[in-house]
Structure formats: C-alpha cells, structure tokens
Amino acid sequence: MPEVIVSVRSLVRRRREPVVVQAFRSTAAAVVSYVVALWLSSEPAPLTAPLTALLVVQVTLYTTLTTGIRRVNSVVAGVLVAIGFSALVGLTWWSLGLVILTSLLVGHLVRVDEFVPEVAISAMLVLGVTRVAATAWDRVLETLIGAVVGLLFNLFLAPPVWVAPASEAITSLAGRMGELLVHLGEELDQHTPVERAAARLHEARRLDNDIAHVDLALRQAEDSLRLNPRVKEALLFRLVLRTGLDTLEICAVVLRVCCRTLTDLATTRTDGPLFSDHLAQALAELFAHMAIALENFAVLITAQISASAQEAEVRLAQELAAARISRERAARLLQEEARSRPGTWQLYGALLAEADRVLDELGVEKRSERLVEELDRHSRTAPTRRPQLRRLWRRRSA
C-alpha cells in the first residue's frame, strides 16, 4: 500500500510531463470512442472504435490529422476488398491468401504508408464473419468514430508540446561534447598512450548515436509545434532548434577530427607528453572555453526568445572572445614548437583549423545568418508564411 501511495504521488508530481499527459489523453479518447460506438453501432463490443482512437491520438495534432486520414483509408480499403471477395468466393485457404495479397497491393496503391497491414487485417476480420455487409459497414462506422473522437481530443484538448524533451536532449549532447573537450585538455601535458587517444576518438565517434537520438526528439518536437494552437511563432521555434542541432552536429564532426589529430600526435610521442607545459596549458584553456561556449550555445537555442536567451548570448560571446585569445596564444606557441619538430607542423595546423571551425560555427553572427537563410527558404517555398518571423528574429539579433 505505501508503494502505491508513493507511485500515485509521483504521478501527480509528473502530471504536466508530456508522457503523462499523453497517456491520460489516449485513455480518455479510447473510452469516449467506445461509449459513442455503443450508441451508434449494432455490434455488442465495438472495440474497433477505441482501438482506432488509441492509435489516432498521436503525440501531436499534426500526426493525428495525417494518421487519422490514412487509418480511415486503410480500413475502408480493406472493407471494400472483403465485400468484393465475399460476393465471389467463400473463405478458404487459397481465397484467404488472395485476399491478403490483394489487400497489401491495394494498401500501397492508396498510399496509406505504415497502415498497409491494416488493409489486410480489416479485410480478414470482415471476411471471417457471416454477415459480411453489415459487419463491414459497422467496422467502417467504428473506425470513423475512433478517428473523429481522436481528432476532437486534439482540437479541444491541445496535445502536449514536446519542446522540453528535445531541449533537454540538445543540452545533454552539448554537455557531453564539452566534457570530452575538457578531458582532452587535461591530458595534453601527460604522456598519452595511443590506446587512450584512440579511446577518446571512439568516444567522439559515439556522439553520432547521440545526435541521432536528439534528431528523433527534435522531429517529435517539430511535429508538436505544427498546427498547435498553444504555440505562437512555431516556425521560428522549430528553425531555432533545427539550425542549432545542425551546428552542434558540425561541431561534433570537427571534434571527432580533432581527436583523430591528437591520436596521430600520440603515435609520434611514445615516450613523453603530447605538448610542453606552456603549450598544453594554452590548449587546455582553449578547449575549456570551447566547452563552456558549447554549453552556452545549447542554452541559447533552447531558451527561445526570453531574457535567459539574451544572457546566454552574452555569455557565449564572452567565451568565444576568451577562446580566440587562447587560440592566438596557442598558435604562437605551436609555431615555435613546430620549428623544433618540423614533422608535426601539419598536425599542429590541423588542430588550429579545427578549433577555428568550432569557434566560427558557434558565432552569433553565423547562427543568425543561417537562421535568416532558413526563414527565407521557408518564405520562398510557402508564400503564406508570415513575414513577421524574419523581422522578429532580426530585431532579436540586432
């Protein structure tokens, strides 16, 4: 009993989280559709209605609209196939196979996408009853009831906005990239075996999996912003997050190349530290500033248009300025050391070029230009887009 009470309290505390909100919305939509189907359908247990409502009430209004239309199309197509076959042949093993094959082909023809199997399922369920015609239209009615109830739930009870999980994923990604940079900086004045440098390289490569996870979360957030009456300037929010993730992805690639450069350096330094003390300190400071800049960049793109976003922009600019000072100091020291070790000048130059690329990508001006380009592209492809979006962003960036 105490465990149940604790679980209930935990659920109440999490009542505003998107997962909890969606669970209650889906349950309520299924129950309401079942009650409505009991009134309108002649079936004693019209479970198709709650099943359809449960599947149609997706996490966003946009996917609900597109999913509902495709699901109704799939059911109607399956019912029509079953009615056609019931008028010609009975239910045998070969007719069942022919029904399934025909239903799958019809599903691709009517373009119901992921609901192609639903066409065959609907045809088999209808074909397996004795009163084919009556059952067929009852199934269509139940499907329509479930789809309409699901759609109404999203119209009058707006679905949750999934921006927060996407923002958390972006912040977590930037944090892992920053931690990797800090660890790299801490090892520059030590003897670094090739195995340890290669382990850092594999750690940088694993960021690709993290980016794929963030991309999925961001796609869900983008869908939740489409057609959502609770969100104003949804296009701007979507583009800020998407262009921000694109920037982090570029930085992750550059970070991987940086780890590759340090691994190559480790192969040439088998009996001593990678760099001298002064040079290692300068590079460590550069990496530390880059790490903080990445974290501030994540705060900036996830804070949207608010006071915290302006504060993050100021902190980002400060860290980038400090990083460029450290970069110039490291460049002078690298140039001096390259004279005594001419075989490493290419690797030293690559290290500086990689740092320059990260600093350039994180720059506020570069980000503003990229966002304006995306807004212009959307304006060209969709003339009905509101032009105040670009003016809003330009005012913010000014």
Side-chain angles (χ1 to χ4, degrees):
M1 189 66 178
E3 291 82 2
V4 175
I5 296 176
V6 172
S7 300
V8 172
R9 289 177 178 174
S10 176
L11 187 63
V12 171
R13 284 195 298 267
R14 300 175 57 191
R15 66 186 183 276
R16 294 185 181 276
E17 294 186 9
V19 174
V20 178
V21 173
Q22 181 60 25
F24 280 107
R25 292 175 67 255
S26 298
T27 302
V31 172
V32 171
S33 64
Y34 181 74
V35 172
V36 174
L38 283 175
W39 291 342
L40 301 178
S41 175
S42 60
E43 288 290 316
L47 294 177
T48 304
L51 174 63
T52 304
L54 191 63
L55 295 174
V56 167
V57 180
Q58 300 296 322
V59 293
T60 68
L61 177 60
Y62 175 77
T63 53
T64 295
L65 287 170
T66 56
T67 299
I69 294 172
R70 292 199 303 272
R71 175 163 290 277
V72 171
N73 286 343
S74 66
V75 173
V76 172
V79 168
L80 293 177
V81 170
I83 292 176
F85 269 85
S86 65
L88 299 175
V89 296
L91 181 58
T92 62
W93 66 267
W94 61 268
S95 64
L96 178 62
L98 196 57
V99 166
I100 295 174
L101 178 60
T102 303
S103 299
L104 294 178
L105 293 176
V106 169
H108 287 288
L109 289 176
V110 297
R111 297 184 178 182
V112 293
D113 297 335
E114 71 272 25
F115 296 124
V116 169
E118 181 72 18
V119 181
I121 293 171
S122 299
M124 285 189 294
L125 290 176
V126 173
L127 193 62
V129 299
T130 55
R131 295 165 49 248
V132 173
T135 303
W137 297 120
D138 281 338
R139 180 166 170 77
V140 172
L141 176 61
E142 293 169 20
T143 303
L144 289 173
I145 291 172
V148 170
V149 170
L151 179 60
L152 291 177
F153 257 73
N154 269 356
L155 288 175
F156 295 104
L157 297 175
V161 177
W162 293 79
V163 172
S167 299
E168 292 172 2
I170 290 175
T171 303
S172 178
L173 172 63
R176 286 191 292 274
M177 294 169 62
E179 289 176 3
L180 179 57
L181 278 169
V182 171
H183 291 158
L184 290 175
E186 293 172 348
E187 299 171 353
L188 295 177
D189 60 349
Q190 307 171 8
H191 170 58
T192 304
V194 177
E195 294 78 11
R196 187 193 302 171
R200 294 299 184 195
L201 177 58
H202 289 305
E203 186 177 346
R205 287 171 175 167
R206 285 196 295 270
L207 290 173
D208 290 343
N209 297 330
D210 298 330
I211 291 173
H213 172 73
V214 177
D215 183 68
L216 289 176
L218 184 52
R219 288 179 184 275
Q220 188 178 54
E222 288 172 337
D223 284 345
S224 72
L225 292 172
R226 290 188 177 99
L227 306 178
N228 197 317
R230 295 165 51 189
V231 181
K232 295 181 179 180
E233 307 298 351
L235 175 61
L236 180 61
F237 284 4
R238 284 162 41 204
L239 293 183
V240 167
L241 293 175
R242 176 55 65 183
T243 55
L245 178 58
D246 291 342
T247 298
L248 289 179
E249 186 173 2
I250 294 173
C251 292
V253 173
V254 177
L255 183 55
R256 185 166 68 243
V257 177
C258 180
C259 291
R260 176 76 262 181
T261 302
L262 293 175
T263 303
D264 292 339
L265 277 172
T267 60
T268 65
R269 309 284 172 85
T270 57
D271 55 353
L274 290 179
F275 301 98
S276 61
D277 291 341
H278 294 298
L279 180 52
Q281 182 182 2
L283 289 173
E285 289 179 359
L286 172 60
F287 287 173
H289 287 305
M290 289 167 59
I292 299 175
L294 279 168
E295 295 174 359
N296 286 323
F297 180 83
V299 173
L300 175 60
I301 64 175
T302 56
Q304 305 297 347
I305 303 174
S306 62
S308 55
Q310 295 176 355
E311 295 172 1
E313 187 171 325
V314 171
R315 291 195 299 269
L316 174 60
Q318 292 173 347
E319 290 299 328
L320 290 176
R324 289 188 175 93
I325 294 174
S326 299
R327 186 266 179 207
E328 294 303 320
R329 179 188 170 204
R332 290 193 300 269
L333 294 173
L334 282 171
Q335 205 170 24
E336 294 174 2
E337 188 160 330
R339 294 193 184 99
S340 59
R341 296 181 176 179
T344 59
W345 68 269
Q346 286 181 312
L347 296 176
Y348 288 169
L351 201 61
L352 287 176
E354 290 145 14
D356 288 340
R357 182 62 186 274
V358 172
L359 297 178
D360 179 63
E361 290 295 330
L362 296 178
V364 177
E365 298 81 7
K366 182 71 170 286
R367 174 170 165 269
S368 299
E369 291 174 2
R370 183 172 298 165
L371 188 56
V372 169
E373 289 175 358
E374 287 297 314
L375 288 169
D376 288 337
R377 185 176 65 83
H378 277 264
S379 299
R380 290 192 301 269
T381 56
T384 57
R385 301 277 189 195
R386 289 170 289 180
Q388 63 266 32
L389 289 174
R390 273 185 295 166
R391 292 198 298 268
L392 177 62
W393 177 253
R394 286 187 174 123
R395 284 201 303 270
R396 181 192 168 192
S397 302

